């Protein structure tokens, strides 16, 4: 089960969260064998700018990317939590 409450967003800087999010987003896109060009062509979202930390992300963009990549909305926050737990061990 995903425990979003255990992620301490108050102590995580926006920059750290954005980097973790971008990393997980890129990992999922690559797992699906989708190029950045294809994602841009099909969604209009400049995913490369998100993955390279040059753009922040709105909820609307997050939902659109999750829908396009056919991933559950809680997948990336869950992976971020796992990554944080691994770093703390």
């Amino acid at each position: 089960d995903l425990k979003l409450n255990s992620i301490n967003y108050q102590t995580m800087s926006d920059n750290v969260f954005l980097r973790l999010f971008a990393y997980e987003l890129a990992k999922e896109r690559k797992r699906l064998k989708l190029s950045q060009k294809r994602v841009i062509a099909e969604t209009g979202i400049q995913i490369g700018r998100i993955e390279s930390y040059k753009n922040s992300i709105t909820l609307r963009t997050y939902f659109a990317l999750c829908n396009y990549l056919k991933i559950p909305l809680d997948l990336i926050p869950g992976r971020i939590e796992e990554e944080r737990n691994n770093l703390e061990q």
Side-chain angles (χ1 to χ4, degrees), residues 22-72:
Y23 172 77
E24 292 299 335
L25 182 66
K27 191 163 69 170
E28 188 65 17
R29 179 186 56 76
K30 290 172 186 174
R31 186 187 73 74
L32 294 170
K33 297 178 177 26
L34 295 170
S35 69
Q36 288 180 347
K37 286 184 180 186
R38 181 171 173 188
V39 174
I40 292 168
E42 294 181 1
T43 67
I45 297 169
Q46 296 290 329
I47 195 166
R49 296 191 59 78
I50 296 167
E51 290 178 1
S52 63
Y53 328 119
K54 292 187 173 137
N55 279 22
S56 190
I57 187 167
T58 65
L59 282 174
R60 180 179 296 162
T61 300
Y62 178 78
F63 291 148
L65 286 171
C66 286
N67 184 54
Y68 174 76
L69 298 171
K70 296 181 178 34
I71 57 175

